[in-house]
Amino acid sequence: DRSFIPARPGHDDGSLCESIIAMANALHKLVIAEGIETQPQAQFLRERGCYLGQGYLYARPLAADAFIARFRAPLAHDGIAAAS
């Protein structure tokens, strides 16, 4: 949940997030973070073993028709369009 991700990684408010990730990893469960808004937050999570997430850093919410159109369009990675 977004409320567990520290706004500024490196502060004490990340302890709960770290604990949740460690517990889930120990139980061999996938951890999906919600509400990732900045690169430092994404890095904080990756460094602790959380490799899946969603949030404004990756994409804003889309209406269903906009979502479909976005994923039907050719993919682009580093400025290079992929074949569809």
Side-chain angles (χ1 to χ4, degrees), residues 66-76 81-84:
F67 177 84
I68 292 167
R70 178 176 179 172
F71 287 97
R72 283 193 176 154
L75 297 176
S84 55

Side-chain angles (χ1 to χ4, degrees), residues 4-24:
F4 297 132
I5 299 173
R8 294 183 327 215
H11 291 80
D12 289 338
D13 55 354
S15 297
L16 181 58
C17 187
E18 290 176 341
S19 299
I20 292 168
I21 294 168
M23 181 174 59

Side-chain angles (χ1 to χ4, degrees), residues 27-73:
L27 295 170
H28 306 287
K29 301 292 181 185
L30 287 176
V31 181
I32 303 172
E34 295 184 2
I36 303 169
E37 296 179 354
T38 67
Q39 280 293 346
Q41 288 174 331
Q43 182 176 348
F44 171 88
L45 294 163
R46 282 192 303 273
E47 289 172 353
R48 285 152 184 83
C50 180
Y51 303 105
L52 301 173
Q54 63 83 31
Y56 284 174
L57 175 64
Y58 306 110
R60 300 278 182 185
L62 298 171
D65 57 341
F67 177 84
I68 292 167
R70 178 176 179 172
F71 287 97
R72 283 193 176 154

